Amino acid sequence: MAPENPSHPSENDLPYVLILKPPPSFVIFGDRFFNSTKFRFLKAYESPLPLAHFLLAHAQSVQAILSSGGAPVTADTIRLMPLLRLVVTTSQGLNHIDLSECRRRGIVVASAGTIYSADCADSVVALLIDVLRKVSAADRFVKQGLWSSQGEYPLGSKLGGKRVGIVGLGSIGSEVAKRLEAFGCSISYNSRKKKPFCSYPFYLNVRELAANCDALIICCALTDETHHLINKEVLSALGKDGVIVNIARGPIMDEKELVRCLVEGEIRGAGLDVFEHEPDVPNELFALDNVVMSPHNAVFTWESFEDLRKLVVGNLEAFFSNEPLLTPVGLDDQPHFSG
Amino acid sequence: MAPENPSHPSENDLPYVLILKPPPSFVIFGDRFFNSTKFRFLKAYESPLPLAHFLLAHAQSVQAILSSGGAPVTADTIRLMPLLRLVVTTSQGLNHIDLSECRRRGIVVASAGTIYSADCADSVVALLIDVLRKVSAADRFVKQGLWSSQGEYPLGSKLGGKRVGIVGLGSIGSEVAKRLEAFGCSISYNSRKKKPFCSYPFYLNVRELAANCDALIICCALTDETHHLINKEVLSALGKDGVIVNIARGPIMDEKELVRCLVEGEIRGAGLDVFEHEPDVPNELFALDNVVMSPHNAVFTWESFEDLRKLVVGNLEAFFSNEPLLTPVGLDDQPHFSG
């Protein structure tokens, strides 16, 4: 056998990237989706060992983790890998990673950046028009053959002129605003602080924002501060003509209270891509035509996944080549969004 | 009894406005929706007489008709009313009115103007995102409880970057273009002639437009020239990755051919608000997740109907007061759209 080309090290010499749980892209595209000639994957989920034992066995060989929303990178996990220097996540949100522990240990985090922002914003608009104009319900109506027997379909409500309040004016929130302005909506927002170069009215208080809008769009990050941020008071301020859309993270809303408001008609409707206990969805919502739901897929397009593939491989290859990461996360700053 | 106030003539002295068939707004709001102190309605559909007899009996008292899409105003009907001077229609489209006969007899036509354009454009965007991103299908998926059992949902396709071809760049088409530009789509169009102040690429030929776009949006008027304009050749030029949205009029498309293309996967999907034989919808479409349908309700919002009420009553009151109509139709010009 000819000796191996030294510029192409054998598979066995490649550095490891740990994966705790297969990311959604593996489920869809197979586990060669992020393949590279610069690293190989170490799949904890394929080992029969308990995770802690597995990590201890590989403690001296893991410098990088590829993580996703469904696989938390906790402080306990991090502590088992003294050489860990990089966490790459396939999500825009970072709420599944213990960022304080990363900061403390000088571990760098790379996110999916803003590649999902446009798709998320498109989903927001689709869900909002759908709730207002009963699009999914109309599709069911026609497909069940009811048009010829039942005649006129109930009226919807116009999107133009609606006052839209955006909770979290980060990259997704800004894309939502840009789109909804083209429909003639007026935009206002809530955020941790007022944006310096933004002319939209700012509300420091979410309840006040809700009281002054017809549709509330949740685009903020899930953090300790935003957990159950949308509670009974906010929903009550939004009122019975108000619509809510959440494409951020389920636990930002008090889901029990949301369900009660929807069932009892205390708000007009909701467009929901995320839930508190995914993939479990409150059954009470199944029969409601004024609730439009999707299975946390606001970012699930072919185009986004191709962008993601390039970004993940690019970040990992950059790391192992001692080059700057493509989308490093500034750990001193809170993220604006979970995607 | 006190004498009646001469400025408020009794109901019996008011001029008649003929209605052949109740417009959709009567079905929804009741038949006092367009009430006024300046005229009263003569409801042909409440009479047991055959229409021709009914019209002959009232030939000398009808100067105005209130018409809607479902009640054609044919040359034969017009000829039975020698005093007819005005046709007011609740639709933006005029294909149900014999405009040549109106022109010949000096009968003025007033339409719903552009009050529906924004709602129609909103429906276009909703249907287009829905087909690309599988919104209605995802709602069914979640509501049938399939998320927790079946897991990942199929990927959609990104709206941004799509080449959108608009057939008929009138008031609705322009509103569609404005919205889709905010999503990062590139716009081109087909029209009877190139618009002088429009920078979007123009295609004189619909087949060529279809060959150069990812989504074809039908917003043109139904006329003799546009009947079955979207035929086998156009659909074939659009191709298997192409999506079509029709919120104009069903007969602009060769529906049989459209159904075949959808069933056989020759185009990617369709968003349809209108059909050739409404309210009948081809059954073959009922099971297709890549087809999103609505019951010709692209203009059906509370806000549009309130605008319509003001406009219809305003046009009729203006006519009976010898004042200029609010939305007269220039009969020398072809309309751009049917809504």
Side-chain angles (χ1 to χ4, degrees):
Chain A
M1 253 172 73
E4 289 193 346
N5 182 336
S7 70
H8 286 86
S10 92
E11 166 88 1
N12 292 338
D13 298 329
L14 293 177
Y16 276 132
V17 174
L18 176 71
I19 308 185
L20 299 172
K21 205 180 144 181
S25 41
F26 277 21
V27 180
I28 298 165
F29 295 98
D31 63 0
R32 298 186 59 80
F33 187 61
F34 295 119
N35 263 25
S36 161
T37 56
K38 302 267 174 64
F39 55 81
R40 57 183 163 158
F41 287 114
L42 179 67
K43 297 167 181 170
Y45 56 93
E46 288 184 348
S47 164
L49 291 177
L51 182 61
H53 292 193
F54 181 86
L55 293 181
L56 278 173
H58 293 279
Q60 298 307 314
S61 58
V62 172
Q63 288 184 280
I65 291 191
L66 174 60
S67 134
S68 57
V73 181
T74 63
D76 285 346
T77 302
I78 291 170
R79 284 182 205 129
L80 292 171
M81 291 173 287
L83 301 185
L84 187 66
R85 287 294 163 267
L86 173 69
V87 177
V88 175
T89 177
T90 62
S91 62
Q92 188 159 346
L94 302 169
N95 57 295
H96 59 295
I97 302 169
D98 191 320
L99 299 177
S100 310
E101 189 66 21
C102 288
R103 193 185 301 118
R104 212 164 11 247
R105 294 177 172 263
I107 296 169
V108 180
V109 176
S111 75
T114 59
I115 58 169
Y116 302 127
S117 299
D119 282 339
C120 275
D122 293 355
S123 284
V124 166
V125 175
L127 290 170
L128 180 58
I129 307 184
D130 198 326
V131 173
L132 290 174
R133 301 289 305 275
K134 311 173 195 290
V135 179
S136 291
D139 185 51
R140 276 195 297 277
F141 179 80
V142 174
K143 285 179 174 167
Q144 289 168 0
L146 298 178
W147 189 8
S148 44
S149 60
Q150 298 197 0
E152 298 296 339
Y153 187 73
L155 289 181
S157 180
K158 196 189 196 80
L159 179 54
K162 289 281 184 293
R163 300 165 304 159
V164 175
I166 298 178
V167 181
L169 198 68
S171 76
I172 295 173
S174 302
E175 292 288 331
V176 169
K178 187 176 86 179
R179 285 157 176 70
L180 290 179
E181 280 198 293
F183 289 83
C185 296
S186 61
I187 309 292
S188 53
Y189 74 106
N190 160 263
S191 191
R192 277 168 302 127
K193 47 189 176 185
K194 194 175 180 326
K195 309 271 166 190
F197 302 107
C198 176
S199 61
Y200 304 132
F202 167 69
Y203 289 85
L204 185 59
N205 184 298
V206 180
R207 205 189 42 73
E208 266 179 54
L209 178 70
N212 286 283
C213 71
D214 306 304
L216 199 62
I217 313 290
I218 314 304
C219 300
C220 62
L222 173 60
T223 63
D224 289 346
E225 290 73 36
T226 64
H227 184 267
H228 280 204
L229 175 69
I230 309 302
N231 57 18
K232 184 174 178 171
E233 286 67 40
V234 174
L235 292 167
S236 158
L238 182 60
K240 70 181 177 44
D241 288 329
V243 166
I244 199 158
V245 174
N246 187 5
I247 50 87
R249 285 287 184 268
I252 297 170
M253 305 187 74
D254 179 343
E255 191 168 276
K256 219 164 152 182
E257 195 54 40
L258 173 71
V259 169
R260 194 192 59 74
C261 285
L262 286 165
V263 168
E264 297 181 7
E266 293 189 11
I267 66 172
R268 180 193 290 216
L272 304 171
D273 185 55
V274 290
F275 303 86
E276 270 206 87
H277 309 288
E278 299 171 8
D280 291 329
V281 173
N283 290 2
E284 301 94 315
L285 303 181
F286 289 1
L288 300 184
D289 271 355
N290 58 331
V291 178
V292 182
M293 299 187 281
S294 48
H296 199 149
N297 72 344
V299 305
F300 276 33
T301 67
W302 293 97
E303 293 85 350
S304 283
F305 274 83
E306 179 52 24
D307 290 346
L308 176 69
R309 195 188 60 73
K310 288 180 191 153
L311 200 66
V312 164
V313 172
N315 270 314
L316 288 168
E317 290 187 347
F319 172 77
F320 290 116
S321 311
N322 289 314
E323 285 168 14
L325 295 180
L326 304 179
T327 46
V329 173
L331 291 186
D332 298 330
D333 206 34
Q334 283 280 3
H336 285 302
F337 175 74
S338 326
Chain B
M1 250 171 76
E4 288 192 345
N5 183 335
S7 69
H8 287 84
S10 93
E11 166 87 1
N12 291 337
D13 298 329
L14 293 177
Y16 275 131
V17 174
L18 176 71
I19 308 185
L20 299 172
K21 205 181 142 181
S25 39
F26 277 21
V27 180
I28 298 165
F29 294 99
D31 62 0
R32 298 185 61 82
F33 186 62
F34 293 121
N35 264 23
S36 161
T37 55
K38 301 269 175 61
F39 55 82
R40 58 183 161 156
F41 287 113
L42 178 67
K43 297 167 181 168
Y45 56 93
E46 288 184 348
S47 164
L49 290 178
L51 182 61
H53 292 194
F54 181 85
L55 293 181
L56 279 172
H58 292 280
Q60 297 307 315
S61 56
V62 172
Q63 289 183 278
I65 292 190
L66 174 60
S67 136
S68 57
V73 181
T74 63
D76 285 346
T77 303
I78 291 171
R79 285 182 204 127
L80 292 172
M81 291 174 286
L83 302 186
L84 187 67
R85 288 292 163 269
L86 174 69
V87 177
V88 175
T89 176
T90 62
S91 62
Q92 188 160 345
L94 303 169
N95 59 295
H96 58 296
I97 302 170
D98 191 321
L99 297 177
S100 310
E101 189 67 21
C102 289
R103 192 185 302 117
R104 213 162 12 245
R105 295 179 171 260
I107 295 168
V108 180
V109 176
S111 76
T114 58
I115 57 170
Y116 301 127
S117 300
D119 282 338
C120 275
D122 294 354
S123 284
V124 166
V125 175
L127 290 171
L128 180 58
I129 307 183
D130 198 325
V131 173
L132 290 173
R133 300 289 305 277
K134 311 173 196 287
V135 179
S136 291
D139 185 51
R140 276 196 296 278
F141 178 83
V142 174
K143 285 180 174 168
Q144 290 168 358
L146 298 177
W147 188 9
S148 45
S149 60
Q150 299 199 358
E152 297 296 338
Y153 187 74
L155 290 181
S157 180
K158 197 189 196 80
L159 179 55
K162 289 283 184 294
R163 300 165 304 157
V164 175
I166 298 178
V167 181
L169 199 67
S171 76
I172 295 173
S174 303
E175 292 288 329
V176 169
K178 187 176 88 179
R179 284 157 176 72
L180 289 178
E181 280 199 293
F183 289 83
C185 297
S186 62
I187 309 291
S188 53
Y189 74 105
N190 160 262
S191 192
R192 277 170 302 130
K193 47 189 179 187
K194 194 174 181 323
K195 309 272 167 191
F197 301 106
C198 175
S199 61
Y200 304 131
F202 168 69
Y203 290 85
L204 185 59
N205 184 297
V206 179
R207 205 188 44 70
E208 267 181 52
L209 178 70
N212 287 284
C213 71
D214 305 304
L216 199 62
I217 313 291
I218 315 303
C219 300
C220 63
L222 172 60
T223 63
D224 289 346
E225 290 72 38
T226 64
H227 184 268
H228 280 206
L229 174 70
I230 309 302
N231 56 19
K232 185 174 178 170
E233 286 68 39
V234 174
L235 292 167
S236 161
L238 183 61
K240 70 178 179 43
D241 288 330
V243 166
I244 198 159
V245 174
N246 186 6
I247 50 86
R249 286 286 184 268
I252 297 170
M253 306 187 75
D254 179 343
E255 191 167 275
K256 220 166 152 179
E257 195 54 40
L258 172 71
V259 169
R260 193 191 60 74
C261 286
L262 286 165
V263 168
E264 298 180 7
E266 293 189 12
I267 66 173
R268 179 193 290 214
L272 304 170
D273 184 55
V274 290
F275 303 86
E276 269 205 88
H277 309 288
E278 296 171 9
D280 290 330
V281 173
N283 289 3
E284 300 95 314
L285 303 181
F286 289 1
L288 300 183
D289 272 356
N290 58 332
V291 178
V292 182
M293 299 187 280
S294 48
H296 199 150
N297 71 345
V299 305
F300 276 32
T301 66
W302 293 97
E303 293 84 349
S304 283
F305 274 83
E306 180 52 23
D307 290 345
L308 176 68
R309 196 189 60 73
K310 287 181 193 153
L311 200 64
V312 164
V313 173
N315 271 312
L316 289 168
E317 291 188 346
F319 172 75
F320 291 116
S321 310
N322 289 314
E323 285 168 12
L325 296 179
L326 304 179
T327 47
V329 172
L331 291 187
D332 298 329
D333 206 34
Q334 283 279 3
H336 286 301
F337 174 76
S338 326

